[in-house]
Amino acid sequence: MTLQTLEMAMEGLLAKSCPPTSLFRHSIDVVRQMVEYYRLYRPSWPVPNDSVSLPRILAYAALVHDFGKVHIDFQKVLKKQTQRFGNRHEILSLCFLNWLDIPDAERAWIEAAIALHHKNLHLLTASNGMFYCSDSFGTPNTYARHLADGISNEGSKLLYEMLFHADEIFLQAGWQGIVCYRLREYRDLDHVTLMKQALLRVNKLAKQFESPVNDFGKVVGRIPWELRRGGIQVRGLILLADHLASANPHSLSVGLEETGTVKQAVTKKTGSLELKSHQKKSVDQQGSAILVAPTGTGKTEAALLWSTRQAESGCRGRTFILLPYQTSMNAMQARLIETFFPALQRDPELWTEHVALVHGRSVRSAFEKLLEKNYGSDEAVRTARIQNDLARLDVSPVRVCSPYQILRLLFEPKGVEGLMQSLSQARLIFDEIHAYNPKVTALTLAATQFLTEQLGARVLFMTATMPAHLADVIQTTFGSLPILRPDKDVMDRPPRHKAKIAGFHSISSDSLKQIKDAATRGSVLVVVNQINRAIELCDALKPYVQDLHILHSQFTNEARFRIEKELKPCRERVLVATQAVEVSLDVSYDTCFSELAPLESLLQRFGRCNRYGERSGGPAEVSVYADFPPGANGHLPYEKDHLDSTLGVLKKCISEKTGILAEMDIQDMLNDSYPDNLKANLQQQMASGLQRIRENFEKGFTPFGGQDQSHFQELEQQWEQLFDGNEVLPELFLEEAVAEKSWLARARYLVPVSGRKFARLKGKQKIKWCDDLMCHIAYVPYTEYGLQV
């Protein structure tokens, strides 16, 4: 039987029902996708003195992983003849390996990849699980017996034919140099015995990952991380290949792998043939580093040049650009498309192939882009979901996301090896690491250290301002990282900003008058620290300013998307914003007013004003309100003593240097703006966080999920605490939401609110759960300025 004849003979055996995909075709797709991932990462087998062929393990695992779907009852489910299989087809797949003469050193690895491409090992071998390896295994009315009794002779022979053609399948898929296993003569299989033996071998392999402990439960001896890396590779790659082949098979490229390509794009954008000094240093830097350069001097371009240098030196992983705010992530994706793929600017449905966007609402951002292109709602839903799936499946060479995508590996017990493989050899670019609270920063540094030490990742911490105490923590965590700073070509440029203290608060009549007067001369950015104050300020400004805009998180997704498109400054435009404006937004207003905040936040806000120093007549005037409006807790979300110290530093600058914020003075000002007690507290929190993660994760992690996962319940609670917020549907949009046919279309009317505000509304009975819409409805006003909480 030829391979073509075999495909025709297997047309009636399905692997997927939507869309219908034959078992033959899906198996071939996964084999080909596995080749793509192997070429992308070029992983070497990490276990010393182990004569194992990783390509052969991966190729056969991809080919055989779904053979168990030949089961008669599974086929009935796929053909809609019954509703539920209620069993594990991947365990049945293990039996068919017995037709192959597999070396002992490779057998358990292939069996692990096949058996665990859906479920963690603990769920398959625990005493309360489906496949507990006990004396009752395979007895009547057990899961194993049901699997064994569902194989037809015809289906079994077709699978044998696939193994007969393995060499041809591998060659056609692109595998080179694989020495196929010897195929034994066809015979009927003792399915129960073979399943049990395979599970016992997988369980034995998983036990080798565990660190030895003494009688008191204390870890003793060396952690076998070389072996664990093998487990991450084998399970991670089968998870990625199976998921992507099921979604949409793709060819994969490293991307950002040639410095010359990025240089060309950078010089074309800037109009200068010469790179800036810190960009040149980034090109020359091999390995992790810290990049400190002023806002508006091309830090992002320098970071991308650094990324290509890592690729040229053999780092094959993806480029991750990690940002703190959804607005800045959306803007960064659009910016990278504009710079490197300008022909695609009008085709957002193709962006994910080159620059993926991954955050909690990225699928909604994709949905809004498609609606703007006049897609019908149903087609926009389908396309947005495909893009979102692909963005999370390692398709794109560049991923724009938040650090939470990395923190997932600390808290996600199910199939975490796929995420680890995606992050192996990664080029991680953190923009403004100081923007997070100490707990998140500590967790992020711990996760990143694990990736650099155990999975070959490299990291660049990119910032305009790096407090000395944070730099010390990073250096302690990652070793002595080089700090890349600009030379005089950047640091001696004319100062862009001149600070002054406004002796009143943001909503005072004096403030309104100054904002109104500034708007007659140009564009104005006003940044306040709380959403309610932003709304109150807009209400107060409305009679005086016609071109008035507001940016904060408490909008529907549809409104947020529209607002982000209107951020570009123009004469007489006033933008009132919260912290969301601070990071990686390429805008330049003429004048800036800001409430008092930590100095690094203030400098980021000022950086959205006179961004490139092109203002004629000297530095732009930036004003900082010395007071907060009357009422309790006006200083939140910041520490009051930190703000007091920052105000003192600004007053000193005004007294001694007339408020000129020279680049050469920023570092000393930044260090002086932190009270000693706050520095010590931050360092202590980060140190304890790092230690806790090392103890709970790095030492205890075992591939394949062989351990009891109940300890993850506490970690999952910690994970939920990182997301201080909920989503609500304003009552105003209830009728529109009910009229929508899909959840994604309804979700464009949801508004995020903090956990504190959510609890307050719930306590006042202003929130009610709706079963039909599967969301909370908020019975509070929603206006042009967002949700009124």
Side-chain angles (χ1 to χ4, degrees):
M1 185 182 297
T2 66
L3 197 58
Q4 184 176 6
T5 305
L6 177 60
E7 180 174 12
M8 295 174 61
M10 294 184 68
E11 282 182 349
L13 289 176
L14 297 181
K16 305 287 178 184
S17 59
C18 186
T21 307
S22 72
L23 179 58
F24 178 93
R25 178 46 48 197
H26 176 65
S27 300
I28 300 297
D29 286 344
V30 177
V31 170
R32 288 177 174 167
Q33 198 63 68
M34 185 69 84
V35 177
E36 291 291 330
Y37 277 115
Y38 186 80
R39 287 173 177 169
L40 173 66
Y41 290 108
R42 300 178 187 172
S44 58
W45 187 242
V47 184
N49 304 319
D50 194 349
S51 56
V52 162
S53 169
L54 179 59
R56 183 163 60 180
I57 290 173
L58 298 175
Y60 271 100
L63 179 62
V64 179
H65 79 288
D66 269 357
F67 272 18
K69 289 183 176 180
V70 75
H71 193 283
I72 294 172
D73 290 342
F74 198 95
Q75 290 298 307
K76 289 180 180 178
V77 172
L78 294 176
K79 295 171 183 177
K80 308 296 176 67
Q81 296 170 353
T82 187
Q83 296 213 342
R84 190 169 177 271
F85 182 50
N87 216 322
R88 303 308 321 170
H89 69 271
E90 60 270 31
I91 303 304
L92 182 59
S93 299
L94 296 170
C95 303
F96 306 106
L97 293 173
N98 203 252
W99 285 322
L100 299 168
D101 190 5
I102 304 173
D104 291 341
E106 295 182 12
R107 178 175 289 276
W109 290 103
I110 297 177
E111 290 171 335
I114 293 172
L116 306 174
H117 76 274
H118 284 302
K119 293 286 187 180
N120 281 350
L121 177 61
H122 178 73
L123 298 175
L124 300 178
T125 57
S127 58
N128 60 346
M130 289 184 174
F131 296 98
Y132 181 59
C133 297
S134 67
D135 292 339
S136 63
F137 189 93
T139 56
N141 300 318
T142 62
Y143 289 107
R145 173 52 57 189
H146 174 232
L147 289 176
D149 291 344
I151 307 300
S152 69
N153 190 48
E154 179 186 4
S156 187
K157 288 182 177 179
L158 289 172
L159 298 181
Y160 182 86
E161 279 294 315
M162 284 199 75
L163 293 176
F164 179 81
H165 288 282
D167 55 346
E168 187 179 353
I169 291 171
F170 295 156
L171 282 173
Q172 287 187 10
W175 287 104
Q176 299 293 327
I178 289 182
V179 178
C180 290
Y181 300 128
R182 184 180 69 84
L183 184 65
R184 297 168 176 168
E185 290 185 7
Y186 178 84
R187 65 182 184 282
D188 293 334
L189 301 173
D190 181 353
H191 299 101
V192 168
T193 299
L194 294 176
M195 283 189 288
K196 183 172 183 178
Q197 290 175 347
L199 282 172
L200 288 171
R201 282 190 292 268
V202 172
N203 204 33
K204 182 178 179 181
L205 174 62
K207 290 292 183 184
Q208 297 180 50
F209 300 142
E210 299 176 15
S211 303
V213 296
N214 60 21
D215 294 339
F216 302 99
K218 184 177 180 180
V219 174
V220 295
R222 192 179 70 84
I223 300 173
W225 263 104
E226 295 84 0
L227 194 65
R228 295 186 188 193
R229 290 189 201 105
I232 291 169
Q233 287 179 0
V234 169
R235 192 182 189 202
L237 288 169
I238 189 66
L239 288 171
L240 290 175
D242 183 36
H243 290 166
L244 184 52
S246 298
N248 191 0
H250 270 72
S251 59
L252 303 174
S253 63
V254 177
L256 290 182
E257 55 184 332
E258 294 180 358
T259 301
T261 302
V262 178
K263 278 184 180 179
Q264 185 178 5
V266 171
T267 55
K268 182 178 180 181
K269 179 180 179 180
T270 61
S272 172
L273 298 177
E274 188 71 17
L275 296 176
K276 294 183 174 69
S277 55
H278 58 292
Q279 294 172 338
K280 292 178 181 177
K281 293 175 183 178
S282 299
V283 173
D284 295 334
Q285 174 60 33
Q286 181 175 329
S288 300
I290 299 172
L291 171 64
V292 183
T295 300
T297 59
K299 285 196 308 297
T300 299
E301 289 74 18
L304 296 175
L305 289 164
W306 170 85
S307 180
T308 58
R309 179 69 183 96
Q310 310 320 301
E312 290 177 345
S313 63
C315 193
R316 300 285 301 174
R318 299 316 211 178
T319 296
F320 289 75
I321 302 178
L322 302 124
L323 301 162
Y325 301 117
Q326 178 181 326
T327 300
S328 57
M329 286 181 256
N330 294 343
M332 178 61 76
Q333 185 196 35
R335 178 178 172 183
L336 294 177
I337 291 294
E338 179 185 2
T339 301
F340 295 101
F341 310 99
L344 299 181
Q345 283 183 267
R346 297 183 179 276
D347 299 304
E349 67 272 21
L350 302 178
W351 287 11
T352 297
E353 303 282 336
H354 306 279
V355 181
L357 177 67
V358 179
H359 56 66
R361 300 177 185 92
S362 53
V363 65
R364 305 182 203 175
S365 297
F367 181 67
E368 295 296 338
K369 291 189 185 84
L370 294 166
L371 289 180
E372 188 184 38
K373 278 199 66 183
N374 296 320
Y375 271 62
S377 180
D378 292 345
E379 181 66 9
V381 167
R382 188 186 68 82
T383 306
R385 284 177 171 162
I386 290 173
Q387 285 194 49
N388 192 55
D389 290 343
L390 294 179
R392 298 168 189 271
L393 283 175
D394 215 19
V395 170
S396 172
V398 181
R399 185 183 300 189
V400 178
C401 58
S402 78
Y404 293 113
Q405 296 303 314
I406 289 179
L407 292 183
R408 284 173 51 215
L409 67 86
L410 302 178
F411 300 98
E412 187 172 287
K414 301 174 183 177
V416 72
E417 295 89 344
L419 177 61
M420 288 183 174
Q421 183 58 48
S422 293
L423 290 165
S424 68
Q425 302 184 66
R427 295 166 269 167
L428 305 170
I429 300 170
F430 286 91
D431 194 0
E432 307 300 347
I433 187 67
H434 64 76
Y436 310 96
N437 67 49
K439 181 177 181 180
V440 171
T441 301
L443 292 172
T444 300
L445 293 180
T448 305
Q449 182 198 41
F450 164 76
L451 293 172
T452 57
E453 288 189 355
Q454 303 298 350
L455 296 179
R458 300 178 190 178
V459 59
L460 181 74
F461 295 101
M462 175 178 73
T463 181
T465 52
M466 177 68 75
H469 64 275
L470 179 56
D472 289 344
V473 170
I474 291 175
Q475 298 286 23
T476 301
T477 305
F478 293 90
S480 184
L481 297 184
I483 300 180
L484 313 179
R485 298 183 186 273
D487 294 335
K488 289 186 176 181
D489 65 318
V490 172
M491 302 306 289
D492 282 351
R493 68 177 180 171
R496 296 171 297 150
H497 306 116
K498 180 179 179 179
K500 75 171 191 176
I501 302 297
F504 39 81
H505 60 74
S506 58
I507 311 178
S508 65
S509 58
D510 289 327
S511 171
L512 300 181
K513 183 178 185 305
Q514 289 197 7
I515 294 170
K516 180 182 67 172
D517 291 345
T520 64
R521 300 188 296 271
S523 56
V524 182
L525 171 65
V526 189
V527 189
V528 297
N529 300 338
Q530 297 179 5
I531 293 175
N532 287 351
R533 277 210 293 274
I535 294 172
E536 188 176 353
L537 178 56
C538 276
D539 271 334
L541 284 171
K542 189 174 183 180
Y544 310 107
V545 178
Q546 289 188 340
D547 193 2
L548 181 62
H549 299 263
I550 183 171
L551 172 66
H552 58 71
S553 62
Q554 233 162 254
F555 280 100
T556 66
N557 199 71
E558 179 273 333
R560 181 85 173 245
F561 180 78
R562 172 175 42 80
I563 290 167
E564 289 175 11
K565 291 180 60 185
E566 299 171 350
L567 291 180
K568 291 296 183 182
C570 61
R571 188 175 180 84
E572 298 186 351
R573 173 168 291 178
V574 175
L575 172 64
V576 177
T578 58
Q579 293 86 337
V581 80
E582 288 181 13
V583 178
S584 290
L585 290 181
D586 191 7
V587 294
S588 182
Y589 283 78
D590 295 317
T591 306
C592 178
F593 297 85
S594 175
E595 287 190 330
L596 187 59
L599 185 60
E600 56 265 50
S601 293
L602 288 177
L603 294 172
Q604 287 294 329
R605 298 172 185 187
F606 299 162
R608 313 305 150 200
C609 169
N610 193 24
R611 181 173 176 82
Y612 300 106
E614 297 172 345
R615 181 180 182 273
S616 61
E621 200 169 75
V622 292
S623 300
V624 178
Y625 299 110
D627 299 323
F628 292 103
N633 300 322
H635 61 281
L636 294 178
Y638 305 113
E639 298 284 344
K640 189 175 186 304
D641 56 348
H642 190 185
L643 297 185
D644 290 341
S645 183
T646 300
L647 184 60
V649 167
L650 290 174
K651 287 181 176 179
K652 181 180 178 182
C653 175
I654 293 169
S655 172
E656 296 180 356
K657 300 182 179 179
T658 67
I660 296 296
L661 298 173
E663 306 290 1
M664 300 296 292
D665 299 330
I666 293 299
Q667 189 62 51
D668 289 339
M669 292 177 64
L670 185 62
N671 294 336
D672 292 342
S673 71
Y674 275 84
D676 289 339
N677 67 314
L678 187 56
K679 293 179 185 177
N681 183 43
L682 289 172
Q683 289 176 315
Q684 182 180 2
Q685 286 192 56
M686 291 187 205
S688 62
L690 285 165
Q691 183 63 30
R692 186 170 62 253
I693 290 301
R694 287 174 185 148
E695 291 295 329
N696 292 344
F697 175 74
E698 186 169 351
K699 290 185 179 181
F701 170 73
T702 58
F704 297 162
Q707 292 183 326
D708 184 350
Q709 304 296 302
S710 60
H711 67 285
F712 271 100
Q713 292 178 358
E714 180 182 351
L715 293 179
E716 287 174 354
Q717 292 175 1
Q718 295 178 27
W719 173 249
E720 291 297 326
Q721 291 171 6
L722 294 178
F723 300 95
D724 177 29
N726 302 83
E727 287 188 311
V728 298
L729 174 67
E731 182 187 16
L732 178 68
F733 300 116
L734 183 56
E735 186 175 336
E736 288 93 331
V738 169
E740 298 289 357
K741 298 179 181 178
S742 68
W743 175 87
L744 187 53
R746 290 194 297 271
R748 66 197 307 241
Y749 301 108
L750 297 177
V751 176
V753 295
S754 70
R756 181 172 54 85
K757 291 180 179 179
F758 183 86
R760 189 193 318 152
L761 290 173
K762 195 170 183 179
K764 294 181 177 181
Q765 298 184 332
K766 297 289 188 179
I767 285 180
K768 180 180 179 182
W769 175 258
C770 176
D771 283 329
D772 292 337
L773 297 177
M774 296 298 290
C775 68
H776 288 95
I777 300 173
Y779 294 90
V780 293
Y782 183 97
T783 72
E784 60 187 310
Y785 301 135
L787 193 69
Q788 309 285 303
V789 181

